């Protein structure tokens, strides 16, 4: 519970930062002293996706199987590094797809599944928040925007489509969380090396004291 509360606080803090940036007429810059903590925000977003998936399966019966065409926009190589522009496009596609799922569940298949509707709404908001955080961290724009996801019309196929989208979104966020974690570890390691180098470097006073023996 403490972990979830901490993750939520990260999201709320970053939302405040974004609002301040909007009030100022510009987005927060990369060199800002405030960090959006992308790894933690990705973990929170993934938690919401997992919760949405569980509610979806509960309210729609047994898992309907996999939507065969899949979602290439959310499929990545495990060892590939995160590229800002591609991450932006993937998160945009994810948010659009989740919105389709929400609209279908709310307006057609499960109009009474209020808890699912709320969870999907929160998930979409967090994906958008994560996109802003990723842009702050990685930079990049989604210049070649993917076409909006198209949900099939058949009821069973719609369930397959939605279930597979949620599964794929979870896998993508797994990958993104891992990459942000690796990036954070590299930065910390670099900072430690720099700190040790500064500690070893003689101060002007010590240098002068040592120079007396040369006089």
């Amino acid at each position: 519970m403490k972990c979830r509360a901490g993750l939520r606080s990260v999201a709320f803090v970053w939302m405040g930062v974004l609002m301040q940036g909007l009030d100022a007429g510009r987005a927060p810059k990369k060199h800002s002293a405030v960090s959006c903590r992308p790894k933690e925000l990705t973990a929170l977003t993934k938690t919401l996706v997992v919760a949405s998936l569980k509610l979806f399966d509960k309210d729609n019966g047994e898992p309907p199987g996999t939507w065969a065409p899949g979602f290439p926009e959310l499929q990545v190589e495990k060892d590939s590094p995160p590229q800002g522009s591609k991450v932006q496009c993937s998160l945009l596609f994810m948010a659009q797809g989740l919105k389709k799922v929400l609209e279908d569940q709310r307006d057609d298949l499960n109009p009474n599944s209020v808890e699912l509707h709320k969870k999907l709404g929160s998930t979409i908001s967090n994906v958008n928040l994560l996109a802003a955080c990723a842009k702050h961290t990685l930079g990049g724009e989604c210049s070649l925007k993917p076409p909006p996801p198209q949900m099939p019309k058949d009821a069973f196929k719609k369930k397959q489509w939605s279930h597979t989208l949620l599964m794929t979104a979870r896998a993508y966020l797994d990958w993104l969380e891992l990459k942000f974690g690796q990036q954070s570890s590299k930065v910390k390691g670099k900072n430690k090396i720099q700190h040790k180098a500064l500690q070893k470097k003689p101060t002007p006073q010590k240098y002068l004291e040592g120079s007396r023996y040369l006089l």
Side-chain angles (χ1 to χ4, degrees), residues 11-215:
F12 291 141
V13 168
W14 181 237
M15 187 176 290
V17 173
L18 287 178
M19 292 305 295
Q20 289 175 5
L22 291 173
D23 290 341
R26 56 183 175 82
K29 291 187 178 179
K30 196 171 181 178
H31 60 261
S32 170
V34 180
S35 170
C36 65
R37 299 176 68 182
K39 181 179 182 293
E40 289 80 358
L41 191 52
T42 306
L44 173 59
T45 307
K46 184 179 69 175
T47 299
L48 290 169
V49 168
V50 170
S52 296
L53 177 60
K54 287 181 179 178
L55 286 170
F56 179 90
D57 287 344
K58 175 187 172 185
D59 293 346
N60 288 274
E62 290 297 319
T66 304
W67 173 249
F71 298 96
E73 297 84 355
L74 298 177
Q75 293 171 351
V76 287
E77 293 291 334
K78 185 178 179 181
D79 297 327
S80 62
Q83 297 180 19
S85 58
K86 289 185 177 180
V87 169
Q88 288 300 308
C89 289
S90 293
L91 292 175
L92 172 63
F93 182 87
M94 187 186 297
Q96 291 175 334
L98 291 171
K99 186 178 179 182
K100 292 277 187 182
V101 176
L102 172 58
E103 290 171 349
D104 179 57
Q105 291 292 306
R106 184 186 59 204
D107 302 335
D108 187 10
L109 295 183
N110 285 298
N112 296 322
S113 299
V114 178
E115 187 180 0
L116 173 59
H117 305 161
K118 288 181 178 179
K119 190 65 68 177
L120 284 168
S122 297
T123 305
I124 294 165
S125 297
N126 255 76
V127 171
N128 290 329
L129 198 62
L130 177 58
C133 179
K135 184 176 180 180
H136 175 82
T137 306
L138 301 173
E141 296 276 355
C142 182
S143 53
L144 297 174
K145 294 184 179 180
Q150 297 297 319
M151 181 181 283
K153 295 182 179 180
D154 176 76
F156 181 75
K157 289 182 178 179
K158 285 198 288 187
K159 290 181 180 181
Q160 276 191 334
W161 190 94
S162 300
H163 176 83
T164 304
L165 177 73
L166 286 163
M167 292 280 289
T168 311
R170 180 180 66 181
Y172 180 84
L173 293 170
D174 261 333
W175 170 82
L176 190 59
E177 182 185 2
L178 175 66
K179 295 304 172 181
F180 278 136
Q182 291 173 346
Q183 190 178 61
S184 177
S185 297
K186 286 181 181 178
V187 171
K188 287 179 181 178
K190 186 177 179 181
N191 289 341
K192 281 184 179 179
I193 292 172
Q194 290 176 342
H195 181 67
K196 287 181 180 179
L198 288 172
Q199 285 181 326
K200 290 180 180 179
K201 189 176 180 180
T203 62
Q205 184 179 356
K206 287 183 178 180
Y207 178 80
L208 289 172
E209 288 175 354
S211 66
R212 291 174 188 170
Y213 296 100
L214 300 176
L215 297 176

